Amino acid sequence: MTPADTAEATRLAVQKFLGLRLAGDTEGLAALFADEVDWMLADNPGVPWIRPRSTAAECAAQADELGRYTVPEDARASVDTVLVDGTDAVLMGQLSGTVRATGKSFSGPFALRLTVEDGRITRHHLYENSLSIAEACAP
């Protein structure tokens, strides 16, 4: 596979990931994630949907958990930049939402690093405004 082919395969997997995430397709996400995933999201003990994950099923379930703890109608995410270099992709944008239990909102920028190998996501590292999210979860 040429470097251009590798980058195109990564770009296609990222587009598929975004489409599945938007559709709330947990089964599709579970199939897209590798059996073992290098998942990283800063520890945030006050946020129920942020926890360690490593299997395809755990990673795919994060979208469902987010939907249970936040108000789906208030959820917003926009991607304004996608950078692809071989098997790696970085998405940058803005996200916001409202925590169901408190009614408080959160917002801020995010960066998501994905690695795609053999058509499956093997790395998912998310950097976000964890302070805003923690404050929104606090009673």
Side-chain angles (χ1 to χ4, degrees):
M1 187 177 271
T2 69
D5 292 338
T6 300
E8 183 59 22
T10 299
R11 191 175 307 284
L12 290 171
V14 168
Q15 289 172 348
K16 183 174 183 179
F17 169 77
L18 293 173
L20 293 168
R21 208 40 217 266
L22 186 61
D25 184 345
T26 305
E27 284 184 34
L29 285 168
L32 184 59
F33 280 108
D35 295 340
E36 289 290 321
V37 179
D38 175 9
W39 177 278
M40 190 195 70
L41 186 54
D43 288 339
N44 205 336
V47 182
W49 63 88
I50 296 178
R51 61 181 178 78
R53 299 168 194 272
S54 62
T55 69
E58 290 170 343
C59 295
Q62 194 266 346
D64 285 342
E65 292 173 21
L66 181 62
R68 279 199 306 275
Y69 292 108
T70 62
V71 179
E73 301 80 32
D74 291 350
R76 301 280 182 272
S78 62
V79 176
D80 54 44
T81 304
V82 177
L83 306 171
V84 176
D85 183 17
T87 61
D88 290 311
V90 176
L91 295 75
M92 293 177 281
Q94 298 287 321
L95 60 80
S96 63
T98 302
V99 176
R100 190 182 304 272
T102 64
K104 295 179 186 177
S105 297
F106 59 88
S107 65
F110 77 88
L112 173 61
R113 179 183 179 192
L114 299 173
T115 299
V116 178
E117 298 175 89
D118 297 322
R120 297 181 76 193
I121 296 172
T122 59
R123 176 184 293 130
H124 181 287
H125 289 186
L126 180 62
Y127 306 90
E128 62 186 0
N129 185 348
S130 56
L131 178 60
S132 175
I133 297 168
E135 288 174 345
C137 288

